[in-house]
Amino acid sequence: MASVPAGNPPDVHRPIEDYALIGDHQTSALVSRDGSIDWLCLPRFDSAACFAALLGDEENGHWRIAPKGEDGPCTRRAYRPRSLVLDTVWETATGTVRVTDLMPQRDRCPDVVRIVEGLDGEVTMRSTLRLRFDYGSVIPWMRRSDGHRVAVAGPDSMWLRSEPEVRTWGKDFGTHAEFTVGKGEKVAFVLTWHPSHEPRPPQCDPHKALADSLEDWQAWADRCRYKGPYADAVLRSLITLKALTYAPTGGIVAAATTSLPEEIGGVRNWDYRYCWLRDSTLTLGVLLAAGYHEEAKAWRDWLLRAVAGSPGDLQIMYGLAGERRIPEYELPWLPGYADSPPVRIGNEAVQQLQLDVYGEVVDSFMLARQAGLPPKPHAWQVQLRLLEFLESVWRQPDSGLWEVRGPRRHFVHSKIMVWVAADRTVRALEADPRLRGDINRWRAMRDAVHREVCERGYDPERGTFTQSYGSRELDAALLLIPRVGFLPPHDPRVTGTIEAVRKELAHDGFLRRYSTDDETNVDGLPGGEGAFLACSFWLADALHLTGRTQEARELFERLVGLCNDVGLLAEEYDPVHRRQLGNFPQAFSHIGLVGAAFTLFGTEEAG
């Protein structure tokens, strides 16, 4: 299928950056500028969506509340300070109205709360609710009960009510309402999910839920230790990471969505509603640096539970509670965002061998020990078993950090992370004589990996490390070489690599993660992708570490400028058409923002 130019998506879909996030620490929803909730999975991040207009159209499920006759975007919107409570404001010919959206932390069942408040004059509002269970494919049976509208289909049930009660009617398999608010008047809607075989859930007080949510979020935000420049962007990124955390287990999903394309009209559409090991060290680092030790501990504990078992069975990703089976399949009834099929559920990459994740896990264990997180007695034994297995397989090719679906290769970044696993084990044994282990064995492994990478992964003619042994392609993951300590920042092989990556993977001032040219086809997929935001933040880190701090800060400022109006980033950015691409919001991008801010400004006070 030919790609649609990135600047000309079908009109049915809003730009990705038009969305804001609300959530309750177990799932989340995306709210557009025109007041429509177009994506919501219940009861968990990885559950089937009941609003799937994001990947189809309004008939696949959405809920819009907006002034009657206003078809375009709102006048303005913003999160309440230091929270995930969203205010959307319309200024109309007859008055001004605000819709406040939130998902309060749940006691038992998830709620979506939408409070309409008149600010000036009078405004007639319309609410249109189309519930479609199982990713937009199932129209529920609707009935009235005790002042509620009740939707039921199979295992799912939703209850809708308003305070004060407004008249609703059914039409075109949707539930509609129309009402007028004057200055100071409020109408609150509550939509509650629960298993259809259980009794009606307890009623949520929408106004108390708003007050409690603001108090909870602002108390959490007050714990942030970052005080440097761009403090608002850093805090918004941390709030986003918190919102992507599955509270019952501490797992952090890579994104709230599935199948938002990396190229409009392309096929690089993946399900990111799972927890990746590759993110572990960077996630742990930013949480600890920002002062969120409880969240860091919960993530470390999730990690330990997820990797328990045979080291040979280590996966690159897991479900929210550490589930191992994440089968991939497609939803043919959804056309995809901006006509970019297929829509995928699950992720086949879970079956890949990626040597880098062993280094990420071991590095996370060391970071947790250094930060003084409460020790776990079995963590050291897990680490040794991982090393023993890695010792037997590290010379094999793998699928690499980016989960390429082409042939396995000897990816240089993967080998460097093998070195990290051995190095961190040696350093732990040197620092703590109480730990038991064969330090000479792991030193020998560390030295062998280092020697091989420098011999087979470095191109002396061009003065750069390469993506894989013997290749001429580059990889933005090579920017992490000085950060992990494989070589010092001012080693000419490091500075040469940074310059080569910056030159060859440049994308209008930002950075691609690797080349997707047809000649190389390293990932086995057609088409291309945008600038990868996490990699662009890594470039800022690398420039700073090599003494080019002013350039690093200028790049960081440009990257922060890509955040949408409420401070959110997707996975990628199209600098030609100036729009975000990929799943949204993306944890990896926000981790990159926070990490770079601490690197560049961590010792400075905002002013």
Side-chain angles (χ1 to χ4, degrees), residues 63 132 169 175 185 192 203 226 269 340 390 396 419 540 543:
W63 183 15
R132 301 291 187 267
W169 68 92
T175 299
E185 295 179 338
T192 304
Q203 291 191 4
Y226 182 82
N269 316 321
S340 304
L390 195 54
Q396 295 181 17
W419 175 90
L543 289 171

Side-chain angles (χ1 to χ4, degrees), residues 576-587:
V576 176
H577 298 98
R578 298 184 180 181
R579 58 173 299 168
Q580 298 195 27
L581 296 170
N583 283 306
F584 177 88
Q586 176 82 359

Side-chain angles (χ1 to χ4, degrees), residues 97 194 464:
V97 66
H194 76 112
T464 181

Side-chain angles (χ1 to χ4, degrees), residues 10 15 26 28 30 40 53 67 152 161 167 183 266 301 331 356 364 394 426 445 462-463 510-511 522 538 556 586 598:
Q26 296 191 45
S28 58
L30 294 185
L40 173 61
V152 177
R161 66 184 177 88
R167 187 179 75 87
K183 183 176 181 180
D301 292 349
L331 304 182
D356 64 286
S364 295
W394 74 265
V426 169
M445 176 181 168
R462 295 158 65 208
F510 303 106
L511 210 64
V522 67
W538 295 350
F556 180 85
Q586 176 82 359
F598 272 101

Side-chain angles (χ1 to χ4, degrees), residues 157-170:
S157 180
M158 300 282 274
W159 294 66
L160 173 70
R161 66 184 177 88
S162 62
E163 293 184 7
E165 186 174 347
V166 298
R167 187 179 75 87
T168 62
W169 68 92

